[in-house]
Amino acid sequence: MPSSSKAMLPTPTTTTIIVLAFGTRGDVQTLALLAAALATTHQHRVRFVSHAQHEPMLQELWGRSTTAIDFVPSPSPPHAAGAGSTAATGDSIEATLRPRAHLQVCIKAVKQVLNLSSSFSSQVLLLANLFALEAV
């Protein structure tokens, strides 16, 4: 075998995983556990986007793997995505617009990862739980 055989091996690529997880604790927790396993067991970079209110639960759930996961908080509360029109629910205009802000956080997180990935050899995987976003 020639001495240059090591140079012929493919260079390992880095996988960045973007997880969009919205809704109640039950909607988010399964993907949070998957994200922790991917970050710690397989050493993937994980960007986890969810409601800011879930951050304490996620930090506790992730434990030591928290440092391997980049949490991106969404400004909308877990119940905001299902909000109806202001006329039907009596919600303020601000409450109705929260899902748009929520969607913008998702788009920004994905764009940031895609921009970073273009500068080096990387694969990007998007995992999404969008059950709570039917109003967006």
Side-chain angles (χ1 to χ4, degrees):
M1 192 175 231
S3 62
S4 63
S5 63
K6 286 186 179 181
M8 296 169 60
L9 295 175
T11 50
T13 57
T14 305
T15 301
T16 300
I17 301 169
I18 307 166
V19 181
L20 307 176
F22 303 105
T24 63
R25 178 186 178 117
D27 296 323
V28 172
Q29 194 169 18
T30 304
L31 282 177
L33 291 169
L34 178 61
L38 291 169
T40 56
T41 306
H42 301 286
Q43 286 79 41
H44 295 303
R45 285 192 301 260
V46 178
R47 178 164 287 187
F48 197 92
V49 183
S50 189
H51 306 284
Q53 289 84 344
H54 288 323
E55 187 171 12
M57 177 266 299
L58 293 169
Q59 300 295 339
E60 182 180 333
L61 188 68
W62 290 331
R64 283 180 276 154
S65 60
T66 300
T67 58
I69 301 171
D70 179 22
F71 178 70
V72 179
S74 171
S76 67
H79 63 279
S85 69
T86 57
T89 63
D91 288 341
S92 68
I93 267 298
E94 180 183 86
T96 302
L97 292 177
R98 260 187 246 139
R100 280 206 182 114
H102 178 81
L103 186 58
Q104 291 304 314
V105 169
C106 296
I107 291 168
K108 182 178 179 181
V110 171
K111 282 182 177 179
Q112 286 174 337
V113 168
L114 293 177
N115 285 339
L116 289 173
S117 298
S118 66
S119 63
F120 56 88
S121 180
S122 180
Q123 297 175 356
V124 177
L125 173 65
L126 176 66
L127 300 174
N129 170 359
L130 304 177
F131 297 120
L133 295 181
E134 62 273 351
V136 177

